[in-house]
């Protein structure tokens, strides 16, 4: 896989899905817009991960949203 980056998460068992994201998919040829966050819902828990991908080769965990029901 070209351009794939492995990223470790602290919650074992969370299976994440990215929904085919890319940085220019919503910019519509407007160079003033950018997508720098990826929303990754977990299929195995109530957690939603938000990654900051300003540096695409070095993503950082921005926040984890968890709803305890």
């Amino acid at each position: 896989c070209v351009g794939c980056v492995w990223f470790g998460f602290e919650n074992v068992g969370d299976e994440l899905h990215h929904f085919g994201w890319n940085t220019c998919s919503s910019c519509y040829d407007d160079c003033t817009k950018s997508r720098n966050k990826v929303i990754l819902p977990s299929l195995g828990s109530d957690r939603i991960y938000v990654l900051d991908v300003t540096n695409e080769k070095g993503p950082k965990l921005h926040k984890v949203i968890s709803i305890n029901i």
Side-chain angles (χ1 to χ4, degrees), residues 42-65:
S42 173
L43 301 176
S45 72
D46 65 349
R47 287 180 282 276
I48 300 170
Y49 293 85
V50 182
L51 290 183
D52 181 341
V53 292
T54 303
N55 175 0
E56 293 178 22
K57 294 186 178 185
K60 296 179 181 175
L61 183 62
H62 177 69
K63 74 166 71 171
V64 178
I65 302 166

mmCIF file with all atom_site columns, all heavy atoms in Angstrom, residues 42-65:
data_model
loop_
_atom_site.group_PDB
_atom_site.id
_atom_site.type_symbol
_atom_site.label_atom_id
_atom_site.label_alt_id
_atom_site.label_comp_id
_atom_site.label_asym_id
_atom_site.label_entity_id
_atom_site.label_seq_id
_atom_site.pdbx_PDB_ins_code
_atom_site.Cartn_x
_atom_site.Cartn_y
_atom_site.Cartn_z
_atom_site.occupancy
_atom_site.B_iso_or_equiv
_atom_site.pdbx_formal_charge
_atom_site.auth_seq_id
_atom_site.auth_comp_id
_atom_site.auth_asym_id
_atom_site.auth_atom_id
_atom_site.pdbx_PDB_model_num
ATOM 1   N N   . SER A 1 42 ? -14.800 3.868  15.704 1.00 0.00 ? 42 SER A N   1
ATOM 2   C CA  . SER A 1 42 ? -14.420 2.507  16.064 1.00 0.00 ? 42 SER A CA  1
ATOM 3   C C   . SER A 1 42 ? -15.616 1.588  15.881 1.00 0.00 ? 42 SER A C   1
ATOM 4   O O   . SER A 1 42 ? -16.725 1.904  16.297 1.00 0.00 ? 42 SER A O   1
ATOM 5   C CB  . SER A 1 42 ? -13.955 2.457  17.514 1.00 0.00 ? 42 SER A CB  1
ATOM 6   O OG  . SER A 1 42 ? -13.745 1.125  17.903 1.00 0.00 ? 42 SER A OG  1
ATOM 7   N N   . LEU A 1 43 ? -15.358 0.443  15.256 1.00 0.00 ? 43 LEU A N   1
ATOM 8   C CA  . LEU A 1 43 ? -16.425 -0.529 15.048 1.00 0.00 ? 43 LEU A CA  1
ATOM 9   C C   . LEU A 1 43 ? -16.619 -1.419 16.268 1.00 0.00 ? 43 LEU A C   1
ATOM 10  O O   . LEU A 1 43 ? -17.620 -2.107 16.377 1.00 0.00 ? 43 LEU A O   1
ATOM 11  C CB  . LEU A 1 43 ? -16.114 -1.385 13.816 1.00 0.00 ? 43 LEU A CB  1
ATOM 12  C CG  . LEU A 1 43 ? -15.953 -0.612 12.512 1.00 0.00 ? 43 LEU A CG  1
ATOM 13  C CD1 . LEU A 1 43 ? -15.553 -1.556 11.381 1.00 0.00 ? 43 LEU A CD1 1
ATOM 14  C CD2 . LEU A 1 43 ? -17.219 0.141  12.150 1.00 0.00 ? 43 LEU A CD2 1
ATOM 15  N N   . GLY A 1 44 ? -15.677 -1.393 17.219 1.00 0.00 ? 44 GLY A N   1
ATOM 16  C CA  . GLY A 1 44 ? -15.743 -2.283 18.376 1.00 0.00 ? 44 GLY A CA  1
ATOM 17  C C   . GLY A 1 44 ? -16.043 -1.589 19.691 1.00 0.00 ? 44 GLY A C   1
ATOM 18  O O   . GLY A 1 44 ? -16.056 -2.225 20.735 1.00 0.00 ? 44 GLY A O   1
ATOM 19  N N   . SER A 1 45 ? -16.251 -0.268 19.667 1.00 0.00 ? 45 SER A N   1
ATOM 20  C CA  . SER A 1 45 ? -16.530 0.464  20.902 1.00 0.00 ? 45 SER A CA  1
ATOM 21  C C   . SER A 1 45 ? -17.304 1.732  20.553 1.00 0.00 ? 45 SER A C   1
ATOM 22  O O   . SER A 1 45 ? -17.650 1.968  19.408 1.00 0.00 ? 45 SER A O   1
ATOM 23  C CB  . SER A 1 45 ? -15.219 0.837  21.617 1.00 0.00 ? 45 SER A CB  1
ATOM 24  O OG  . SER A 1 45 ? -14.551 1.863  20.924 1.00 0.00 ? 45 SER A OG  1
ATOM 25  N N   . ASP A 1 46 ? -17.536 2.559  21.565 1.00 0.00 ? 46 ASP A N   1
ATOM 26  C CA  . ASP A 1 46 ? -18.237 3.821  21.341 1.00 0.00 ? 46 ASP A CA  1
ATOM 27  C C   . ASP A 1 46 ? -17.278 4.972  21.032 1.00 0.00 ? 46 ASP A C   1
ATOM 28  O O   . ASP A 1 46 ? -17.691 6.112  20.927 1.00 0.00 ? 46 ASP A O   1
ATOM 29  C CB  . ASP A 1 46 ? -19.086 4.180  22.562 1.00 0.00 ? 46 ASP A CB  1
ATOM 30  C CG  . ASP A 1 46 ? -18.236 4.464  23.801 1.00 0.00 ? 46 ASP A CG  1
ATOM 31  O OD1 . ASP A 1 46 ? -17.019 4.193  23.775 1.00 0.00 ? 46 ASP A OD1 1
ATOM 32  O OD2 . ASP A 1 46 ? -18.798 4.958  24.790 1.00 0.00 ? 46 ASP A OD2 1
ATOM 33  N N   . ARG A 1 47 ? -15.996 4.673  20.878 1.00 0.00 ? 47 ARG A N   1
ATOM 34  C CA  . ARG A 1 47 ? -14.995 5.728  20.674 1.00 0.00 ? 47 ARG A CA  1
ATOM 35  C C   . ARG A 1 47 ? -14.918 6.198  19.222 1.00 0.00 ? 47 ARG A C   1
ATOM 36  O O   . ARG A 1 47 ? -15.062 5.412  18.289 1.00 0.00 ? 47 ARG A O   1
ATOM 37  C CB  . ARG A 1 47 ? -13.621 5.245  21.134 1.00 0.00 ? 47 ARG A CB  1
ATOM 38  C CG  . ARG A 1 47 ? -13.484 5.171  22.627 1.00 0.00 ? 47 ARG A CG  1
ATOM 39  C CD  . ARG A 1 47 ? -12.114 4.692  23.036 1.00 0.00 ? 47 ARG A CD  1
ATOM 40  N NE  . ARG A 1 47 ? -11.977 3.255  22.899 1.00 0.00 ? 47 ARG A NE  1
ATOM 41  C CZ  . ARG A 1 47 ? -12.354 2.374  23.808 1.00 0.00 ? 47 ARG A CZ  1
ATOM 42  N NH1 . ARG A 1 47 ? -12.895 2.779  24.932 1.00 0.00 ? 47 ARG A NH1 1
ATOM 43  N NH2 . ARG A 1 47 ? -12.191 1.087  23.606 1.00 0.00 ? 47 ARG A NH2 1
ATOM 44  N N   . ILE A 1 48 ? -14.653 7.494  19.068 1.00 0.00 ? 48 ILE A N   1
ATOM 45  C CA  . ILE A 1 48 ? -14.390 8.106  17.768 1.00 0.00 ? 48 ILE A CA  1
ATOM 46  C C   . ILE A 1 48 ? -13.036 8.785  17.886 1.00 0.00 ? 48 ILE A C   1
ATOM 47  O O   . ILE A 1 48 ? -12.809 9.594  18.790 1.00 0.00 ? 48 ILE A O   1
ATOM 48  C CB  . ILE A 1 48 ? -15.467 9.139  17.395 1.00 0.00 ? 48 ILE A CB  1
ATOM 49  C CG1 . ILE A 1 48 ? -16.831 8.464  17.323 1.00 0.00 ? 48 ILE A CG1 1
ATOM 50  C CG2 . ILE A 1 48 ? -15.119 9.831  16.073 1.00 0.00 ? 48 ILE A CG2 1
ATOM 51  C CD1 . ILE A 1 48 ? -17.991 9.432  17.193 1.00 0.00 ? 48 ILE A CD1 1
ATOM 52  N N   . TYR A 1 49 ? -12.127 8.432  17.001 1.00 0.00 ? 49 TYR A N   1
ATOM 53  C CA  . TYR A 1 49 ? -10.786 9.000  17.002 1.00 0.00 ? 49 TYR A CA  1
ATOM 54  C C   . TYR A 1 49 ? -10.702 10.104 15.961 1.00 0.00 ? 49 TYR A C   1
ATOM 55  O O   . TYR A 1 49 ? -11.241 9.979  14.868 1.00 0.00 ? 49 TYR A O   1
ATOM 56  C CB  . TYR A 1 49 ? -9.749  7.922  16.671 1.00 0.00 ? 49 TYR A CB  1
ATOM 57  C CG  . TYR A 1 49 ? -9.632  6.866  17.730 1.00 0.00 ? 49 TYR A CG  1
ATOM 58  C CD1 . TYR A 1 49 ? -10.488 5.767  17.749 1.00 0.00 ? 49 TYR A CD1 1
ATOM 59  C CD2 . TYR A 1 49 ? -8.660  6.961  18.710 1.00 0.00 ? 49 TYR A CD2 1
ATOM 60  C CE1 . TYR A 1 49 ? -10.374 4.792  18.721 1.00 0.00 ? 49 TYR A CE1 1
ATOM 61  C CE2 . TYR A 1 49 ? -8.538  5.985  19.690 1.00 0.00 ? 49 TYR A CE2 1
ATOM 62  C CZ  . TYR A 1 49 ? -9.401  4.911  19.686 1.00 0.00 ? 49 TYR A CZ  1
ATOM 63  O OH  . TYR A 1 49 ? -9.282  3.945  20.655 1.00 0.00 ? 49 TYR A OH  1
ATOM 64  N N   . VAL A 1 50 ? -10.011 11.193 16.315 1.00 0.00 ? 50 VAL A N   1
ATOM 65  C CA  . VAL A 1 50 ? -9.775  12.295 15.386 1.00 0.00 ? 50 VAL A CA  1
ATOM 66  C C   . VAL A 1 50 ? -8.263  12.433 15.237 1.00 0.00 ? 50 VAL A C   1
ATOM 67  O O   . VAL A 1 50 ? -7.554  12.687 16.212 1.00 0.00 ? 50 VAL A O   1
ATOM 68  C CB  . VAL A 1 50 ? -10.381 13.620 15.898 1.00 0.00 ? 50 VAL A CB  1
ATOM 69  C CG1 . VAL A 1 50 ? -10.158 14.738 14.903 1.00 0.00 ? 50 VAL A CG1 1
ATOM 70  C CG2 . VAL A 1 50 ? -11.865 13.451 16.198 1.00 0.00 ? 50 VAL A CG2 1
ATOM 71  N N   . LEU A 1 51 ? -7.773  12.221 14.010 1.00 0.00 ? 51 LEU A N   1
ATOM 72  C CA  . LEU A 1 51 ? -6.350  12.351 13.726 1.00 0.00 ? 51 LEU A CA  1
ATOM 73  C C   . LEU A 1 51 ? -6.071  13.668 13.028 1.00 0.00 ? 51 LEU A C   1
ATOM 74  O O   . LEU A 1 51 ? -6.831  14.074 12.141 1.00 0.00 ? 51 LEU A O   1
ATOM 75  C CB  . LEU A 1 51 ? -5.860  11.227 12.812 1.00 0.00 ? 51 LEU A CB  1
ATOM 76  C CG  . LEU A 1 51 ? -5.781  9.826  13.363 1.00 0.00 ? 51 LEU A CG  1
ATOM 77  C CD1 . LEU A 1 51 ? -5.190  8.895  12.311 1.00 0.00 ? 51 LEU A CD1 1
ATOM 78  C CD2 . LEU A 1 51 ? -4.961  9.778  14.623 1.00 0.00 ? 51 LEU A CD2 1
ATOM 79  N N   . ASP A 1 52 ? -4.996  14.322 13.415 1.00 0.00 ? 52 ASP A N   1
ATOM 80  C CA  . ASP A 1 52 ? -4.505  15.499 12.715 1.00 0.00 ? 52 ASP A CA  1
ATOM 81  C C   . ASP A 1 52 ? -3.493  15.020 11.690 1.00 0.00 ? 52 ASP A C   1
ATOM 82  O O   . ASP A 1 52 ? -2.470  14.453 12.039 1.00 0.00 ? 52 ASP A O   1
ATOM 83  C CB  . ASP A 1 52 ? -3.853  16.467 13.699 1.00 0.00 ? 52 ASP A CB  1
ATOM 84  C CG  . ASP A 1 52 ? -3.344  17.732 13.032 1.00 0.00 ? 52 ASP A CG  1
ATOM 85  O OD1 . ASP A 1 52 ? -3.158  17.745 11.799 1.00 0.00 ? 52 ASP A OD1 1
ATOM 86  O OD2 . ASP A 1 52 ? -3.134  18.709 13.756 1.00 0.00 ? 52 ASP A OD2 1
ATOM 87  N N   . VAL A 1 53 ? -3.800  15.207 10.429 1.00 0.00 ? 53 VAL A N   1
ATOM 88  C CA  . VAL A 1 53 ? -2.923  14.743 9.347  1.00 0.00 ? 53 VAL A CA  1
ATOM 89  C C   . VAL A 1 53 ? -2.356  15.917 8.559  1.00 0.00 ? 53 VAL A C   1
ATOM 90  O O   . VAL A 1 53 ? -2.134  15.829 7.360  1.00 0.00 ? 53 VAL A O   1
ATOM 91  C CB  . VAL A 1 53 ? -3.655  13.746 8.414  1.00 0.00 ? 53 VAL A CB  1
ATOM 92  C CG1 . VAL A 1 53 ? -3.941  12.462 9.137  1.00 0.00 ? 53 VAL A CG1 1
ATOM 93  C CG2 . VAL A 1 53 ? -4.926  14.355 7.863  1.00 0.00 ? 53 VAL A CG2 1
ATOM 94  N N   . THR A 1 54 ? -2.112  17.028 9.248  1.00 0.00 ? 54 THR A N   1
ATOM 95  C CA  . THR A 1 54 ? -1.459  18.157 8.602  1.00 0.00 ? 54 THR A CA  1
ATOM 96  C C   . THR A 1 54 ? -0.160  17.698 7.964  1.00 0.00 ? 54 THR A C   1
ATOM 97  O O   . THR A 1 54 ? 0.158   18.056 6.842  1.00 0.00 ? 54 THR A O   1
ATOM 98  C CB  . THR A 1 54 ? -1.208  19.281 9.626  1.00 0.00 ? 54 THR A CB  1
ATOM 99  O OG1 . THR A 1 54 ? -2.467  19.644 10.216 1.00 0.00 ? 54 THR A OG1 1
ATOM 100 C CG2 . THR A 1 54 ? -0.603  20.492 8.964  1.00 0.00 ? 54 THR A CG2 1
ATOM 101 N N   . ASN A 1 55 ? 0.577   16.853 8.697  1.00 0.00 ? 55 ASN A N   1
ATOM 102 C CA  . ASN A 1 55 ? 1.749   16.172 8.145  1.00 0.00 ? 55 ASN A CA  1
ATOM 103 C C   . ASN A 1 55 ? 1.297   14.752 7.825  1.00 0.00 ? 55 ASN A C   1
ATOM 104 O O   . ASN A 1 55 ? 1.197   13.910 8.713  1.00 0.00 ? 55 ASN A O   1
ATOM 105 C CB  . ASN A 1 55 ? 2.890   16.167 9.157  1.00 0.00 ? 55 ASN A CB  1
ATOM 106 C CG  . ASN A 1 55 ? 4.082   15.371 8.681  1.00 0.00 ? 55 ASN A CG  1
ATOM 107 O OD1 . ASN A 1 55 ? 4.098   14.804 7.586  1.00 0.00 ? 55 ASN A OD1 1
ATOM 108 N ND2 . ASN A 1 55 ? 5.109   15.309 9.512  1.00 0.00 ? 55 ASN A ND2 1
ATOM 109 N N   . GLU A 1 56 ? 0.996   14.469 6.572  1.00 0.00 ? 56 GLU A N   1
ATOM 110 C CA  . GLU A 1 56 ? 0.419   13.182 6.177  1.00 0.00 ? 56 GLU A CA  1
ATOM 111 C C   . GLU A 1 56 ? 1.305   11.987 6.512  1.00 0.00 ? 56 GLU A C   1
ATOM 112 O O   . GLU A 1 56 ? 0.817   10.891 6.722  1.00 0.00 ? 56 GLU A O   1
ATOM 113 C CB  . GLU A 1 56 ? 0.096   13.175 4.687  1.00 0.00 ? 56 GLU A CB  1
ATOM 114 C CG  . GLU A 1 56 ? -1.012  14.127 4.314  1.00 0.00 ? 56 GLU A CG  1
ATOM 115 C CD  . GLU A 1 56 ? -1.288  14.139 2.827  1.00 0.00 ? 56 GLU A CD  1
ATOM 116 O OE1 . GLU A 1 56 ? -0.951  13.167 2.134  1.00 0.00 ? 56 GLU A OE1 1
ATOM 117 O OE2 . GLU A 1 56 ? -1.843  15.141 2.360  1.00 0.00 ? 56 GLU A OE2 1
ATOM 118 N N   . LYS A 1 57 ? 2.611   12.194 6.564  1.00 0.00 ? 57 LYS A N   1
ATOM 119 C CA  . LYS A 1 57 ? 3.524   11.091 6.882  1.00 0.00 ? 57 LYS A CA  1
ATOM 120 C C   . LYS A 1 57 ? 3.756   10.946 8.371  1.00 0.00 ? 57 LYS A C   1
ATOM 121 O O   . LYS A 1 57 ? 4.414   10.009 8.800  1.00 0.00 ? 57 LYS A O   1
ATOM 122 C CB  . LYS A 1 57 ? 4.848   11.275 6.147  1.00 0.00 ? 57 LYS A CB  1
ATOM 123 C CG  . LYS A 1 57 ? 4.680   11.159 4.642  1.00 0.00 ? 57 LYS A CG  1
ATOM 124 C CD  . LYS A 1 57 ? 5.997   11.194 3.930  1.00 0.00 ? 57 LYS A CD  1
ATOM 125 C CE  . LYS A 1 57 ? 5.759   11.028 2.436  1.00 0.00 ? 57 LYS A CE  1
ATOM 126 N NZ  . LYS A 1 57 ? 6.999   10.928 1.692  1.00 0.00 ? 57 LYS A NZ  1
ATOM 127 N N   . GLY A 1 58 ? 3.229   11.858 9.157  1.00 0.00 ? 58 GLY A N   1
ATOM 128 C CA  . GLY A 1 58 ? 3.377   11.792 10.606 1.00 0.00 ? 58 GLY A CA  1
ATOM 129 C C   . GLY A 1 58 ? 2.105   12.226 11.308 1.00 0.00 ? 58 GLY A C   1
ATOM 130 O O   . GLY A 1 58 ? 2.092   13.245 11.987 1.00 0.00 ? 58 GLY A O   1
ATOM 131 N N   . PRO A 1 59 ? 1.005   11.463 11.147 1.00 0.00 ? 59 PRO A N   1
ATOM 132 C CA  . PRO A 1 59 ? -0.255  11.860 11.786 1.00 0.00 ? 59 PRO A CA  1
ATOM 133 C C   . PRO A 1 59 ? -0.145  11.840 13.302 1.00 0.00 ? 59 PRO A C   1
ATOM 134 O O   . PRO A 1 59 ? 0.663   11.097 13.872 1.00 0.00 ? 59 PRO A O   1
ATOM 135 C CB  . PRO A 1 59 ? -1.248  10.804 11.290 1.00 0.00 ? 59 PRO A CB  1
ATOM 136 C CG  . PRO A 1 59 ? -0.422  9.633  10.949 1.00 0.00 ? 59 PRO A CG  1
ATOM 137 C CD  . PRO A 1 59 ? 0.896   10.168 10.474 1.00 0.00 ? 59 PRO A CD  1
ATOM 138 N N   . LYS A 1 60 ? -0.950  12.692 13.944 1.00 0.00 ? 60 LYS A N   1
ATOM 139 C CA  . LYS A 1 60 ? -0.965  12.776 15.401 1.00 0.00 ? 60 LYS A CA  1
ATOM 140 C C   . LYS A 1 60 ? -2.398  12.641 15.882 1.00 0.00 ? 60 LYS A C   1
ATOM 141 O O   . LYS A 1 60 ? -3.330  13.127 15.230 1.00 0.00 ? 60 LYS A O   1
ATOM 142 C CB  . LYS A 1 60 ? -0.400  14.114 15.876 1.00 0.00 ? 60 LYS A CB  1
ATOM 143 C CG  . LYS A 1 60 ? 1.046   14.315 15.530 1.00 0.00 ? 60 LYS A CG  1
ATOM 144 C CD  . LYS A 1 60 ? 1.536   15.659 16.009 1.00 0.00 ? 60 LYS A CD  1
ATOM 145 C CE  . LYS A 1 60 ? 3.001   15.843 15.609 1.00 0.00 ? 60 LYS A CE  1
ATOM 146 N NZ  . LYS A 1 60 ? 3.486   17.165 15.953 1.00 0.00 ? 60 LYS A NZ  1
ATOM 147 N N   . LEU A 1 61 ? -2.552  11.996 17.032 1.00 0.00 ? 61 LEU A N   1
ATOM 148 C CA  . LEU A 1 61 ? -3.875  11.878 17.625 1.00 0.00 ? 61 LEU A CA  1
ATOM 149 C C   . LEU A 1 61 ? -4.308  13.249 18.126 1.00 0.00 ? 61 LEU A C   1
ATOM 150 O O   . LEU A 1 61 ? -3.648  13.850 18.977 1.00 0.00 ? 61 LEU A O   1
ATOM 151 C CB  . LEU A 1 61 ? -3.853  10.852 18.762 1.00 0.00 ? 61 LEU A CB  1
ATOM 152 C CG  . LEU A 1 61 ? -5.192  10.569 19.417 1.00 0.00 ? 61 LEU A CG  1
ATOM 153 C CD1 . LEU A 1 61 ? -6.186  9.989  18.410 1.00 0.00 ? 61 LEU A CD1 1
ATOM 154 C CD2 . LEU A 1 61 ? -5.001  9.621  20.585 1.00 0.00 ? 61 LEU A CD2 1
ATOM 155 N N   . HIS A 1 62 ? -5.403  13.770 17.594 1.00 0.00 ? 62 HIS A N   1
ATOM 156 C CA  . HIS A 1 62 ? -5.922  15.078 17.982 1.00 0.00 ? 62 HIS A CA  1
ATOM 157 C C   . HIS A 1 62 ? -6.814  14.933 19.222 1.00 0.00 ? 62 HIS A C   1
ATOM 158 O O   . HIS A 1 62 ? -6.676  15.667 20.183 1.00 0.00 ? 62 HIS A O   1
ATOM 159 C CB  . HIS A 1 62 ? -6.695  15.697 16.825 1.00 0.00 ? 62 HIS A CB  1
ATOM 160 C CG  . HIS A 1 62 ? -7.318  17.005 17.127 1.00 0.00 ? 62 HIS A CG  1
ATOM 161 N ND1 . HIS A 1 62 ? -6.591  18.153 17.329 1.00 0.00 ? 62 HIS A ND1 1
ATOM 162 C CD2 . HIS A 1 62 ? -8.624  17.353 17.283 1.00 0.00 ? 62 HIS A CD2 1
ATOM 163 C CE1 . HIS A 1 62 ? -7.416  19.149 17.582 1.00 0.00 ? 62 HIS A CE1 1
ATOM 164 N NE2 . HIS A 1 62 ? -8.650  18.689 17.563 1.00 0.00 ? 62 HIS A NE2 1
ATOM 165 N N   . LYS A 1 63 ? -7.750  13.962 19.180 1.00 0.00 ? 63 LYS A N   1
ATOM 166 C CA  . LYS A 1 63 ? -8.613  13.714 20.333 1.00 0.00 ? 63 LYS A CA  1
ATOM 167 C C   . LYS A 1 63 ? -9.331  12.384 20.172 1.00 0.00 ? 63 LYS A C   1
ATOM 168 O O   . LYS A 1 63 ? -9.422  11.837 19.086 1.00 0.00 ? 63 LYS A O   1
ATOM 169 C CB  . LYS A 1 63 ? -9.618  14.828 20.552 1.00 0.00 ? 63 LYS A CB  1
ATOM 170 C CG  . LYS A 1 63 ? -10.775 14.856 19.556 1.00 0.00 ? 63 LYS A CG  1
ATOM 171 C CD  . LYS A 1 63 ? -11.933 15.750 19.957 1.00 0.00 ? 63 LYS A CD  1
ATOM 172 C CE  . LYS A 1 63 ? -11.625 17.201 19.868 1.00 0.00 ? 63 LYS A CE  1
ATOM 173 N NZ  . LYS A 1 63 ? -12.786 18.062 20.058 1.00 0.00 ? 63 LYS A NZ  1
ATOM 174 N N   . VAL A 1 64 ? -9.825  11.877 21.292 1.00 0.00 ? 64 VAL A N   1
ATOM 175 C CA  . VAL A 1 64 ? -10.678 10.681 21.316 1.00 0.00 ? 64 VAL A CA  1
ATOM 176 C C   . VAL A 1 64 ? -11.993 11.102 21.939 1.00 0.00 ? 64 VAL A C   1
ATOM 177 O O   . VAL A 1 64 ? -12.019 11.669 23.030 1.00 0.00 ? 64 VAL A O   1
ATOM 178 C CB  . VAL A 1 64 ? -10.047 9.544  22.132 1.00 0.00 ? 64 VAL A CB  1
ATOM 179 C CG1 . VAL A 1 64 ? -10.982 8.343  22.172 1.00 0.00 ? 64 VAL A CG1 1
ATOM 180 C CG2 . VAL A 1 64 ? -8.696  9.143  21.566 1.00 0.00 ? 64 VAL A CG2 1
ATOM 181 N N   . ILE A 1 65 ? -13.073 10.833 21.238 1.00 0.00 ? 65 ILE A N   1
ATOM 182 C CA  . ILE A 1 65 ? -14.405 11.126 21.748 1.00 0.00 ? 65 ILE A CA  1
ATOM 183 C C   . ILE A 1 65 ? -15.001 9.796  22.198 1.00 0.00 ? 65 ILE A C   1
ATOM 184 O O   . ILE A 1 65 ? -15.060 8.845  21.437 1.00 0.00 ? 65 ILE A O   1
ATOM 185 C CB  . ILE A 1 65 ? -15.288 11.765 20.669 1.00 0.00 ? 65 ILE A CB  1
ATOM 186 C CG1 . ILE A 1 65 ? -14.626 13.049 20.155 1.00 0.00 ? 65 ILE A CG1 1
ATOM 187 C CG2 . ILE A 1 65 ? -16.696 12.019 21.187 1.00 0.00 ? 65 ILE A CG2 1
ATOM 188 C CD1 . ILE A 1 65 ? -15.228 13.577 18.883 1.00 0.00 ? 65 ILE A CD1 1
#
